[in-house]
């Protein structure tokens, strides 16, 4: 976890990661197929899903497109 963020930001980051993981599992994606669908590396997706990093806007766009949803569904 980044050391300079307050805990509430870390918690929201973990919530985002959990939501992405739940949605890609519900959509029937494996880790490999989700990586292929998003064009993101397995490591990047793992870090996002564990809440270890702030995803770039372009990453969120790719994830939302692969899940056939809007970014607002991911970050709500």
């Amino acid at each position: 976890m980044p050391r300079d963020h307050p805990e509430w930001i870390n918690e929201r980051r973990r919530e985002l990661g959990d939501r992405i993981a739940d949605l890609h599992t519900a959509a029937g994606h494996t880790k490999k197929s989700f990586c292929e669908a998003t064009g993101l590396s397995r490591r990047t997706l793992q870090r996002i899903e564990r809440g270890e990093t702030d995803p770039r806007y372009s990453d969120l766009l790719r994830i939302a497109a692969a899940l056939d949803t809007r970014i607002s569904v991911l970050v709500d």
Side-chain angles (χ1 to χ4, degrees):
M1 295 286 156
R3 56 195 168 280
D4 56 351
H5 289 303
E7 184 55 34
W8 68 269
I9 290 178
N10 295 330
E11 181 61 29
R12 292 290 300 186
R13 191 184 289 138
R14 285 188 294 270
E15 290 170 6
L16 171 65
D18 289 343
R19 191 171 302 113
I20 290 169
D22 291 345
L23 288 169
H24 91 69
T25 300
H29 283 289
T30 63
K31 293 284 187 190
K32 182 178 179 178
S33 70
F34 195 52
C35 290
E36 291 170 356
T38 62
L40 298 172
S41 72
R42 184 179 185 101
R43 173 129 170 91
T44 296
L45 283 171
Q46 287 174 334
R47 292 183 73 215
I48 291 170
E49 290 182 349
R50 288 191 300 238
E52 294 174 353
T53 188
D54 289 319
R56 294 181 296 186
Y57 183 71
S58 59
D59 295 343
L60 292 175
L61 286 172
R62 289 170 181 245
I63 291 167
L67 295 171
D68 194 29
T69 194
R70 297 179 317 274
I71 288 178
S72 61
V73 172
L74 303 177
V75 298
D76 185 33

